[in-house]
């Protein structure tokens, strides 16, 4: 067994590998870039080596620097995590020549499966079902249009190399093929250094279901059943679960057999994933094979009682698999959410910056199930524009799918993230969707259920009650505290005195009466009466204290946890997908406040501002030019994803404030119309 391993990665996956190595008694070395000098992975590792600038090309993609770090520290093997060099056959080959262990599959398997064009040929030869499509490389947009016409719309345009949703576009007509081909090719070149593009039939309303395989160096290959990853946005996974709520035993076995056959065809000897698309009739087709550990591997670990990182290390060290296919069983359910630093209310644009507050709920038993959190950050860390904007992976486990979902939803409620936006409200909204709860999902689920983007969800009656009761109690506590400080009342005279408030949420007004019970050592208790929302008074108990940003409470028989921000004009509360500014007034003040005129919003209709921090890739217009609605104005890149900003109306350009190559901040002026 290895005594020291170097981790050629960063963030959450580096921390994940370190944890397994510590449990196995293996020393760890991490390499780090300038942006990651103070990261959690650097803190946790036994040794650390600086390898260069923040750009991946200057650090995590530099093979020479990583190999030098291995030699400098005496590490015996390299674990690549996922991304960066994890699927680079040349890197695996170089390590082999240097007699450095590689915790991943053999270079031949990586090379064979890493090329989407060649992998489809190998899959077909191994008896694996494949998607209809053009078998060669597409050289230009004209050929792309011709091929798409032959296949029949819609088609999927995607990079031959890489993955993670980069270099992928769906096209429904000739114009979208031309635009999608150019964009996919550009993204593929910048992300993977390989601009080859392929086109295949896009299966409508497919499910994305993948099979986890595990092989050793002695010819043994098994599968660990499936993961469902159908809830995606822009071809990037958002929620994953194991097992799939869609597959039956017969289909599961067939998919597993084909995945193992493909793995054996390339002498696969590590953890890997064979991805399929599955149509509504349970016909399945090979999509690609990822020759590395997947981001979503925890759901398989939790439902199979295995540590996949440990298995990778053991087979890389030459050990035989201890598990036979007949021993593989599924136990319970697990659902994973990818918590990203992105703003769901602004089209999911990256929201990079510092984590001013970051508090995770405790792992372990959590209400209806069990909670696991894989993260690589701490409070005070910065989510950098140079890398993936993932904050953490939050995983709920339970005896049933419903309990696993409930455990995950409760965990997202109790995450406290501030300083940047996260996609937690959106994740919670999806988890609450009836169709998701029923398992009626497909890869177009988000686009279908949120066609106009995400603007929050309508409140349920339970959320009205929670918002009114919580804000009224919070306001009562602040009012009584101020009165005691000023000497107007004593704690004794305050006890048992009812407070009457008018609570304003949007255009709704609710009358509420709050009577605080005697002060506790921790938290508060009160009787709350909300005519119209409850038939009678309800008991409210909470551990909240002034200054806390989470309000976890029991109201009658209901339990909830709200996010709370004290604002000058009220309290900003959020529960899952519903958020609102809540104002609490004395009834007479509320009556007067209703008469105040609304402040008009400033006119920004002539301004195009950057929706996120990023790099201006190209500028398509100049001052004085006339443009039509929908015409591309410029392209901004962030997190290796290109975002085309288009004109929202016809008009004439007055000024262009940036040029290609400029770095821009969120809300920075880019273009002004006359």
């Amino acid at each position: 067994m290895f005594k020291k391993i170097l981790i050629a990665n960063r963030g959450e996956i580096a921390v994940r590998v370190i944890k397994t190595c510590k449990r196995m008694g293996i020393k760890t070395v991490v390499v780090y870039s300038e942006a990651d000098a103070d990261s959690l992975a650097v803190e946790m590792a036994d040794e650390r080596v600086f390898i260069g600038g923040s750009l991946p090309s200057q650090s995590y993609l530099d093979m020479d620097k990583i190999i030098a770090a291995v030699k400098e520290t005496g590490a015996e093997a390299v674990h690549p995590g996922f991304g960066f060099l994890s699927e680079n056959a040349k890197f695996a080959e170089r390590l082999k020549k240097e007699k450095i262990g590689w915790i991943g599959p053999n270079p031949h398997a990586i090379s064979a499966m890493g090329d989407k064009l060649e992998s489809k040929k190998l899959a077909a030869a191994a008896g694996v079902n494949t998607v209809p499509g053009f078998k060669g490389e597409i050289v230009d947009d004209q050929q792309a249009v011709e091929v798409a016409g032959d296949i029949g719309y819609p088609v999927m345009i995607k990079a031959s190399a890489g993955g993670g949703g980069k270099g992928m576009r769906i096209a429904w007509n000739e114009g979208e093929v031309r635009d999608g081909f150019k964009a996919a090719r550009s993204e593929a070149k910048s992300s993977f250094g390989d601009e080859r593009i392929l086109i295949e039939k896009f299966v409508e309303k497919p499910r994305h279901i993948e099979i986890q395989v595990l092989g050793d160096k002695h010819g043994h290959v098994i599968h660990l059943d499936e993961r469902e990853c159908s809830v995606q946005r822009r071809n990037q996974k958002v929620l994953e679960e194991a097992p799939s709520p869609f597959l039956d035993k017969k289909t599961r076995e067939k998919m597993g057999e084909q995945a193992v056959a493909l793995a054996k065809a390339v002498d696969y000897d590590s953890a890997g994933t064979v991805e399929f698309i599955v149509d509504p009739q349970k016909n399945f087709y090979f999509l690609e094979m990822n020759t590395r550990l997947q981001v979503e591997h925890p759901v398989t670990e939790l439902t199979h009682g295995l540590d996949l990182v440990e298995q990778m290390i053991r087979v890389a060290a030459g050990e035989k698999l201890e598990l036979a296919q007949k021993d593989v069983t599924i136990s319970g359910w697990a659902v994973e959410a990818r918590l990203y630093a992105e703003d769901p209310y602004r089209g999911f644009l990256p929201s990079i910056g510092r984590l001013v507050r970051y508090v995770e709920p405790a792992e372990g038993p959590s209400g209806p199930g069990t909670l696991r959190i894989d993260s690589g950050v701490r409070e005070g860390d910065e989510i950098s524009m140079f890398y993936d904007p993932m904050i953490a992976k939050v995983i709920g486990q339970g005896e049933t799918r419903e309990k696993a979902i409930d455990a995950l939803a409760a965990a997202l409620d109790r995450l406290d993230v501030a300083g940047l936006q996260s996609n937690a409200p959106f994740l919670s909204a999806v988890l609450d969707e009836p169709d998701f709860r029923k398992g009626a999902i497909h890869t177009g689920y988000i686009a279908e259920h949120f066609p106009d983007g995400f603007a929050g969800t309508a409140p349920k009656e339970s959320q009205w009650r929670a918002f009114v009761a919580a804000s009224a109690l919070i306001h009562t506590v602040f009012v009584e505290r101020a009165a005691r400080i000023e000497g107007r009342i004593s704690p004794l005279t305050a006890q048992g005195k009812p407070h009457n408030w008018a609570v304003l949420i949007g255009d709704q007004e609710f009358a509420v009466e709050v009577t605080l019970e005697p002060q506790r050592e921790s938290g508060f208790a009160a009787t709350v009466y909300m005519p119209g929302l409850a038939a009678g008074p309800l008991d409210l108990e909470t551990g909240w204290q002034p200054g806390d940003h989470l309000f976890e409470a029991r109201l009658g028989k209901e339990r909830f946890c709200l996010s709370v921000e004290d604002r000058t004009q009220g309290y900003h509360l959020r529960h899952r997908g519903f958020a609102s500014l809540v104002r609490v007034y004395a009834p007479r003040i509320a009556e007067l406040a209703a008469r105040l005129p609304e402040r008009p919003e400033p006119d920004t209709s002539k301004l195009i501002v950057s929706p996120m921090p990023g790099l201006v890739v190209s500028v398509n217009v100049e001052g004085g030019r006339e443009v039509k609605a929908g015409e591309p104005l410029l392209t901004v890149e962030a997190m290796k994803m290109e975002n085309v900003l288009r004109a929202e109306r016809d008009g004439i350009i007055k000024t262009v404030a940036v040029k290609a190559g400029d770095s821009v901040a969120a809300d920075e002026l880019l273009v002004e119309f006359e």
Side-chain angles (χ1 to χ4, degrees):
M1 180 50 63
F2 305 118
K3 295 180 180 178
K4 184 186 289 187
I5 287 173
L6 182 140
I7 303 164
N9 217 299
R10 62 174 300 280
E12 173 268 321
I13 186 56
V15 171
R16 166 73 187 85
V17 175
I18 289 171
K19 287 180 178 179
T20 290
C21 287
K22 284 184 180 295
R23 185 174 54 77
M24 295 177 70
I26 300 171
K27 297 289 186 181
T28 55
V29 181
V30 295
V31 292
Y32 66 94
S33 70
E34 188 174 356
D36 287 332
D38 298 318
S39 68
L40 180 59
V42 168
E43 178 185 293
M44 290 179 63
D46 296 296
E47 297 178 54
R48 56 219 41 94
V49 179
F50 175 68
I51 55 169
S54 299
L55 291 172
S57 60
Q58 300 170 349
S59 49
Y60 299 108
L61 291 175
D62 193 317
M63 299 183 199
D64 293 334
K65 290 180 179 178
I66 292 173
I67 290 173
V70 173
K71 293 179 177 179
E72 176 188 333
T73 59
E76 301 163 88
V78 172
H79 195 301
F82 40 69
F84 297 130
L85 295 171
S86 64
E87 293 181 281
N88 190 306
K90 292 180 180 178
F91 183 51
E93 194 65 58
R94 282 193 60 181
L95 292 177
K96 184 177 179 181
K97 289 179 181 178
E98 296 279 357
K99 294 183 170 30
I100 298 169
W102 167 248
I103 304 174
N106 62 79
H108 165 66
I110 297 173
S111 179
M113 292 294 101
D115 187 318
K116 290 185 177 65
L117 293 171
E118 294 303 314
S119 67
K120 289 186 184 302
K121 296 176 184 177
L122 279 167
V128 180
N129 304 340
T130 58
V131 181
F134 186 69
K135 303 301 182 185
E137 177 188 351
I138 310 298
V139 296
D140 56 31
D141 61 338
Q142 181 56 40
Q143 186 188 9
V145 169
E146 294 170 1
V147 167
D150 291 340
I151 295 172
Y153 292 103
V155 295
M156 172 68 82
I157 304 166
K158 60 183 180 181
S160 178
K166 297 181 177 67
M168 296 178 69
R169 295 292 190 278
I170 298 170
W172 298 79
N173 54 53
E174 179 178 325
E176 290 182 1
V177 169
R178 292 188 187 278
D179 290 345
F181 176 83
K182 294 173 183 176
R185 198 174 201 180
S186 176
E187 280 184 8
K189 185 175 182 180
S190 65
S191 296
F192 315 119
D194 184 341
E195 62 180 15
R196 289 179 302 157
I197 295 295
L198 60 89
I199 296 180
E200 62 190 19
K201 180 68 177 175
F202 176 68
V203 180
E204 295 188 62
K205 291 196 173 182
R207 300 177 82 113
H208 183 123
I209 300 177
E210 58 194 31
I211 302 291
Q212 175 73 57
V213 296
L214 189 61
D216 63 22
K217 298 184 183 300
H218 304 278
H220 305 131
V221 181
I222 62 172
H223 70 81
L224 302 175
D225 302 300
E226 83 280 2
R227 295 184 288 260
E228 171 112 21
C229 310
S230 297
V231 181
Q232 302 179 5
R233 189 186 63 78
R234 290 184 65 180
N235 301 308
Q236 290 189 307
K237 298 165 186 174
V238 175
L239 294 167
E240 303 103 349
E241 60 184 297
S244 165
F246 182 63
L247 292 192
D248 53 40
K249 182 180 179 181
K250 182 178 179 182
T251 309
R252 175 180 293 118
E253 289 176 351
K254 285 184 177 179
M255 292 177 71
E257 289 169 1
Q258 291 196 12
V260 168
L262 179 60
K264 286 184 174 180
V266 291
D267 298 321
Y268 204 82
D269 52 357
S270 186
T273 299
V274 181
E275 300 192 344
F276 295 91
I277 55 173
V278 185
D279 71 17
Q281 289 73 44
K282 293 188 173 68
N283 298 307
F284 58 90
Y285 306 97
F286 172 72
L287 187 61
E288 62 183 348
M289 183 175 188
N290 288 309
T291 54
R292 54 171 168 79
L293 191 68
Q294 291 280 87
V295 175
E296 58 272 20
H297 74 275
V299 295
T300 295
E301 292 184 326
L302 290 172
T303 52
H304 287 74
L306 288 173
D307 182 330
L308 285 172
V309 174
E310 178 182 349
Q311 294 299 315
M312 292 179 73
I313 293 171
R314 291 193 179 281
V315 298
E319 294 185 13
K320 292 183 178 180
L321 286 178
E322 294 184 352
L323 195 66
Q325 191 64 59
K326 63 181 176 61
D327 302 319
V328 176
T329 57
I330 301 171
S331 177
W333 220 285
V335 184
E336 174 181 295
R338 300 189 185 194
L339 185 71
Y340 280 115
E342 59 186 17
D343 190 345
Y345 299 98
R346 299 182 66 179
F348 298 91
L349 293 170
S351 178
I352 61 178
R354 193 165 300 282
L355 286 163
V356 176
R357 278 198 324 275
Y358 179 66
V359 182
E360 298 173 351
E363 292 186 288
S366 176
T370 303
L371 175 64
R372 168 174 163 177
I373 297 181
D374 287 11
S375 65
V377 297
R378 304 149 300 184
E379 189 167 280
D381 285 350
E382 184 172 357
I383 304 298
S384 167
M385 69 178 287
F386 299 104
Y387 313 116
D388 186 280
M390 180 180 285
I391 300 172
K393 299 182 307 196
V394 188
I395 310 104
Q397 180 187 18
E399 295 176 359
T400 64
R401 184 172 185 266
E402 184 177 9
K403 289 182 178 180
I405 293 171
D406 287 343
L408 174 55
L412 291 172
D413 289 344
R414 291 180 283 118
L415 271 168
D416 187 11
V417 180
L420 45 77
Q421 296 295 321
S422 84
N423 65 337
F426 174 71
L427 295 171
S428 295
V430 175
L431 292 175
D432 278 349
E433 280 275 325
D435 280 348
F436 179 81
R437 290 271 174 169
K438 291 187 294 186
I441 53 179
H442 54 86
T443 58
Y445 180 89
I446 289 176
E448 182 179 276
H449 286 71
F450 301 91
D452 301 318
F454 181 71
T457 57
K460 302 174 183 176
E461 188 170 331
S462 60
Q463 290 173 315
W464 283 126
R465 283 194 294 270
F467 274 44
V468 171
S471 59
L473 182 139
I474 290 170
H475 196 68
T476 300
V477 170
F478 284 151
V479 167
E480 289 202 354
R481 185 175 65 166
R484 285 195 295 273
I485 292 171
E486 295 170 5
R488 291 187 283 112
I489 62 171
S490 71
L492 290 176
T493 58
Q495 291 175 13
K497 178 185 176 182
H499 291 262
N500 289 289
W501 304 114
V503 176
L504 279 63
I505 306 177
D507 59 358
Q508 299 289 314
E509 181 175 333
F510 302 91
V512 57
E513 181 183 277
V514 178
T515 305
L516 280 180
E517 295 179 9
Q519 181 80 39
R520 300 181 171 194
E521 285 187 16
S522 177
F524 297 90
T527 301
V528 182
Y529 179 46
M530 301 173 285
L533 289 177
L538 295 174
D539 294 330
L540 175 63
E541 293 184 353
T542 178
W544 174 87
Q545 291 284 0
D548 289 351
H549 297 281
L550 293 177
F551 188 96
E552 193 162 359
R554 178 187 63 80
L555 178 63
K557 295 181 180 180
E558 297 173 345
R559 293 188 177 275
F560 60 88
C561 183
L562 308 180
S563 168
V564 179
E565 294 288 344
D566 188 3
R567 303 282 175 83
T568 303
Q569 65 274 44
Y571 310 101
H572 188 271
L573 305 183
R574 181 181 69 79
H575 180 255
R576 303 194 176 176
F578 175 51
S580 181
L581 179 69
V582 181
R583 293 171 291 165
V584 184
Y585 295 138
R588 176 57 178 162
I589 300 299
E591 184 181 332
L592 295 173
R595 301 179 185 180
L596 293 175
E598 293 286 338
R599 177 182 294 180
E601 294 289 335
D603 181 12
T604 59
S605 60
K606 295 183 179 181
L607 307 179
I608 302 293
V609 299
S610 180
M612 62 192 170
L615 180 73
V616 178
V617 176
S618 62
V619 178
N620 304 86
V621 294
E622 65 281 331
R625 177 175 163 180
E626 184 177 350
V627 297
K628 299 293 184 182
E631 187 173 337
L633 304 177
L634 67 168
T635 302
V636 178
E637 179 189 271
M639 308 294 182
K640 294 295 182 184
M641 297 294 284
E642 294 186 356
N643 297 271
V644 179
L645 303 184
R646 301 178 183 274
E648 295 182 359
R649 60 181 179 83
D650 296 351
I652 298 174
I653 302 295
K654 181 179 180 181
T655 58
V656 178
V658 294
K659 62 183 183 301
D662 286 352
S663 293
V664 293
D667 297 321
E668 183 173 335
L669 178 65
L670 304 177
V671 176
E672 183 177 1
F673 281 78
E674 290 186 356

